[in-house]
Amino acid sequence: QIDIASPVVAKVAPKYEAVQVSDNTQSDQNLPSEFLSLTSPQKLPLGFSKNFDSNEIMPPVGSPCTLFRDLLNRYMSYNVNGSCPDDDFLAQKLLLKGCEPLPRRRCRAAAQQEYVEPYPIPESFWNTPSDSSVVWSGYTCKNYDCLVNRVRNQRGFDDCKDCFDLNGKEKSRWTAKTGTRLDFSIDEVLAVKKPGTIRIGLDIGGGVATFAIRMRERNITIVTTSMNLNGPFNNFIASRGVIPLYISISQRLPFFDNTLDIVHSMHVMSNWIPTTLLHFLLFDIYRVLRPGGLFWLDHFFCAGDQLEQVYAPLIDSVGFNKVKWIVGRKLDRGPELNEMYLSALLEKPLKNSW
């Protein structure tokens, strides 16, 4: 039995009769005891279950977790029933190496000592939250004021560097036509379908979730995937009053088939993703969209010759109908690179989508 009142050091496997740690000592060598306690088959207290077709549960973790044993040992070393280490950066490093989903832990996640309640909706949509909503140790900036101003005060590249400034470019994103055909407005996209039929959806790599906020203002619920790449994106999204989903681009989308009305992705889906992985991702998006659902591919970028030779055929192979397909030059890094943008609105066929 585990004594709930007192912490147990995780390096010593807690004895619990429901956990049968693997006998494969060679493959389990040097794996953390807490990891083995979690991932070993767990006997169901009521015996065989038709739902599981088994008398055991096998808790899932990403298979590459065991390839990075030093990182895994650090991540799984903690006091059971105690406080988790302040190790968000380590956790994300493991996740991005393919250890996804991360193993569960039996400790309390790091948090600020004095948390301030968030702004109420809709005030939360366009106000910078309190610094107390974030554990700042893993980031270069140590407060939101630094993040809001980093595009002006800091050199070098950071993902979505200006996103935290809600009075900057974020304020006007997707609200109206901006003079370039590549920039679709939300209302322009929604007008493609009957009013009220776009209700729920997903934004892949959605920065600080301004897309979700704009959709929420139209009574549409959007879940936003985001990583915390040198910024507390997930905390910020949640503080704004919409739902963050902490998964990488490699993870299977955690939605059932044929359920979402719309999927959007801006910039994240581009030629940095290996082609085969991108092909799987496109089919995963097709899978979760309902028949008649929309995939808004927003500013996909690649080299000029890649679009016709690689990416257009790749997208065509999935089976979407083309509603809008706009190609334009990407000039922010100079015309000599011959980079192109693609903004496309694609529809999963309403009939015969299978």
Side-chain angles (χ1 to χ4, degrees):
Q1 295 291 326
I2 297 175
D3 182 359
I4 297 176
S6 59
V8 179
V9 177
K11 293 178 181 178
V12 179
K15 294 180 180 179
Y16 186 46
E17 61 183 6
V19 178
Q20 299 294 323
V21 177
S22 170
D23 292 329
N24 191 348
T25 55
Q26 185 173 1
S27 63
D28 292 346
Q29 189 176 10
N30 298 325
L31 288 176
S33 59
E34 271 293 273
F35 181 79
L36 296 176
S37 294
L38 168 68
T39 57
S40 296
Q42 312 275 322
K43 291 288 186 182
L44 291 170
L46 301 181
F48 182 85
S49 166
K50 288 184 178 180
N51 291 335
F52 291 98
D53 192 27
S54 176
N55 63 348
E56 297 176 332
I57 289 180
M58 296 286 290
V61 294
S63 60
C65 292
T66 58
L67 300 178
F68 307 99
R69 297 196 178 193
D70 288 344
L71 295 176
L72 186 62
N73 269 293
R74 288 166 55 194
Y75 181 71
M76 296 302 293
S77 294
Y78 56 87
N79 288 338
V80 174
N81 301 328
S83 297
C84 297
D86 179 1
D87 59 359
D88 284 347
F89 180 76
L90 170 64
Q92 182 166 266
K93 191 173 183 179
L94 259 176
L95 189 150
L96 290 174
K97 286 180 176 292
C99 184
E100 187 176 27
L102 287 166
R104 283 176 169 167
R105 298 195 291 189
R106 295 186 287 184
C107 55
R108 292 180 287 277
Q112 290 278 31
Q113 292 295 317
E114 296 185 12
Y115 185 90
V116 176
E117 292 281 358
Y119 290 107
I121 290 173
E123 192 179 351
S124 62
F125 291 170
W126 296 102
N127 275 291
T128 302
S130 166
D131 291 338
S132 73
S133 61
V134 177
V135 176
W136 294 94
S137 55
Y139 309 115
T140 302
C141 281
K142 304 304 179 185
N143 53 58
Y144 276 124
D145 184 66
C146 172
L147 284 173
V148 168
N149 292 290
R150 67 178 178 175
V151 72
R152 293 176 286 274
N153 298 337
Q154 296 180 13
R155 292 185 176 183
F157 174 81
D158 270 309
D159 190 67
C160 211
K161 193 170 185 177
D162 61 349
C163 290
F164 291 93
D165 183 3
L166 297 182
N167 291 312
K169 292 181 180 179
E170 292 299 302
K171 200 73 173 180
S172 59
R173 290 194 196 277
W174 303 292
T175 56
K177 295 293 289 184
T178 61
T180 168
R181 296 174 65 217
L182 290 162
D183 296 323
F184 306 158
S185 72
I186 284 177
D187 291 331
E188 176 187 1
V189 169
L190 295 180
V192 169
K193 308 298 288 186
K194 292 181 180 179
T197 59
I198 301 296
R199 307 150 302 154
I200 57 173
L202 172 69
D203 190 15
I204 298 174
V208 294
T210 294
F211 181 81
I213 293 293
R214 288 300 184 196
M215 295 294 254
R216 174 70 183 268
E217 291 169 343
R218 292 159 174 80
N219 294 318
I220 298 167
T221 300
I222 299 292
V223 175
T224 304
T225 76
S226 188
M227 301 303 296
N228 293 329
L229 299 175
N230 202 23
F233 288 91
N234 281 267
N235 301 86
F236 194 80
I237 291 168
S239 292
R240 295 185 78 181
V242 287
I243 302 171
L245 191 60
Y246 187 55
I247 62 172
S248 78
I249 202 77
S250 303
Q251 174 76 301
R252 186 179 193 264
L253 297 175
F255 303 98
F256 193 65
D257 305 355
N258 304 305
T259 52
L260 301 185
D261 300 315
I262 189 168
V263 174
H264 171 264
S265 185
M266 182 176 183
H267 291 311
V268 172
M269 291 180 61
S270 292
N271 66 348
W272 71 270
I273 301 175
T275 306
T276 300
L277 178 59
L278 180 62
H279 202 197
F280 274 104
L281 175 56
L282 289 168
F283 268 100
D284 206 22
I285 291 168
Y286 188 91
R287 175 185 65 81
V288 300
L289 281 171
R290 63 163 174 84
L294 297 176
F295 173 36
W296 181 354
L297 183 58
D298 197 348
H299 286 77
F300 178 98
F301 61 86
C302 61
D305 57 346
Q306 290 180 317
L307 185 58
E308 292 302 321
Q309 295 176 12
V310 179
Y311 296 111
L314 195 73
I315 295 169
D316 286 342
S317 72
V318 179
F320 289 110
N321 296 326
K322 291 179 181 176
V323 180
K324 294 178 181 288
W325 184 276
I326 306 297
V327 177
R329 298 288 301 278
K330 182 179 184 292
L331 300 172
D332 58 312
R333 299 200 303 164
E336 65 278 2
L337 293 178
N338 189 31
E339 293 180 316
M340 305 297 291
Y341 273 133
L342 166 66
S343 285
L345 187 61
L346 308 170
E347 182 186 49
K348 184 172 179 175
L350 188 62
K351 297 181 179 179
N352 301 317
S353 64
W354 184 26

